[in-house]
DNA sequence: CGCATGCTGAGCCATGAGGCTAAGTTACGC
DNA sequence: GCGTAACTTAGCCTCATGGCTCAGCATGCG
């Protein structure tokens, strides 16, 4: 977990901006060009481009230039990364609930995390 | 979702820092005091406190002071918020996949420009 | 060819995040 | 009641973020 910490930093930070989240939502419906994506936003193109570049660098989208048009495509893999982290946290928390039960019936040792085995994959 | 836009901003931003994520992980194992939480980090207490306050203001934790010790507790509700956004994105994306299948079988003629029904709104 | 279109690069600016030290304040413990 | 432990407040510093403008460059169209 400590290793992908920096990856998670950028992945989560990318999501902390409404413009970028909106772009991801829109790209969920299919690829689109830069100016197409930028149209709904009241923002200068260079500013918008920074968001696009940010999303690309953090792996949320991929882009390809054809002629003078750059087309952006959603990369769905990052969703799994986020969900993986969520699952991991839930696992710890649910483990705590178990230990709490144990505590009620009898004293346990100092709770040190035991997240050694991580199983991500539990979607609806 | 439009209302949550700013909430999601702060919720995701809170996760974009490794210190804060580590605190959440640790709190998953049960409540802890400030100095207890701060111990693993090579950071001055006031700096660490900013993270704590950040987490509290964004709803990730709640704190309570008893005597001179402040105890922090994980608030698990925000996990659902994040997961809700993820599900929403997946739904859009999977809807696209459906349309793509329909397109292959010649049912529709919707190119990838069709995003009208998507909840775009971002915020402004 | 010449001009519009669609990005791209360079550089500036304001704000906020995240770190620090130093100096309180408020309980405990002796 | 004095000292120490555990925050807390105040103030400062630096760098990253997110916005802007003003060009520039490549491509497509008439």
């Amino acid at each position: 977990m400590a290793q992908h910490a920096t990856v998670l930093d950028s992945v989560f930070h990318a999501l902390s901006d409404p413009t970028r989240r909106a772009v991801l939502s829109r790209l969920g419906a299919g690829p689109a060009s830069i100016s197409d994506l930028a149209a709904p936003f009241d923002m200068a193109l260079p500013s918008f481009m920074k968001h696009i570049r940010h999303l690309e660098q953090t792996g949320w989208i991929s882009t390809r230039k054809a002629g003078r048009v750059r087309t952006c495509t959603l990369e769905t893999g990052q969703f799994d990364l986020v969900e993986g982290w969520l699952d991991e946290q839930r696992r710890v928390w649910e483990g705590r609930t178990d230990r709490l039960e144990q505590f009620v019936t009898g004293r346990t040792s100092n709770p040190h995390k035991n997240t050694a085995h991580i199983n991500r994959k539990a979607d609806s």
Side-chain angles (χ1 to χ4, degrees), chain A residues 1 5 8 10 12 17 20 28-29 37-38 41 47 52 61 68 71 83-84 87-88 92 98 100 103 109-110 122:
Chain A
M1 141 173 150
L8 285 176
S10 56
F12 278 124
D17 186 286
R20 289 193 288 263
L37 287 171
F41 302 99
S47 309
I52 295 294
I61 67 173
R68 55 184 168 173
T71 302
E83 195 132 43
D87 285 350
E88 203 172 310
V92 173
D98 290 350
L100 207 142
F103 182 77
S109 59
N110 189 7

Side-chain angles (χ1 to χ4, degrees), chain A residues 31-49:
Chain A
S33 72
I34 298 281
S35 49
D36 214 21
L37 287 171
F41 302 99
D42 190 20
M43 185 185 295
L45 242 202
S47 309
F48 185 78
M49 281 296 295

Side-chain angles (χ1 to χ4, degrees), chain A residues 60-106:
Chain A
W60 280 103
I61 67 173
S62 64
T63 78
R64 168 184 310 202
K65 189 153 190 177
R68 55 184 168 173
V69 176
R70 180 173 294 275
T71 302
C72 305
T73 309
L74 185 65
E75 289 294 323
T76 59
Q78 302 301 71
F79 286 123
D80 299 329
L81 231 176
V82 172
E83 195 132 43
W85 183 83
L86 275 183
D87 285 350
E88 203 172 310
Q89 298 319 116
R90 277 202 212 277
R91 190 169 311 281
V92 173
W93 182 63
E94 282 161 13
R96 187 268 291 250
T97 306
D98 290 350
R99 278 199 301 282
L100 207 142
E101 254 171 59
Q102 292 178 357
F103 182 77
V104 169
T105 57

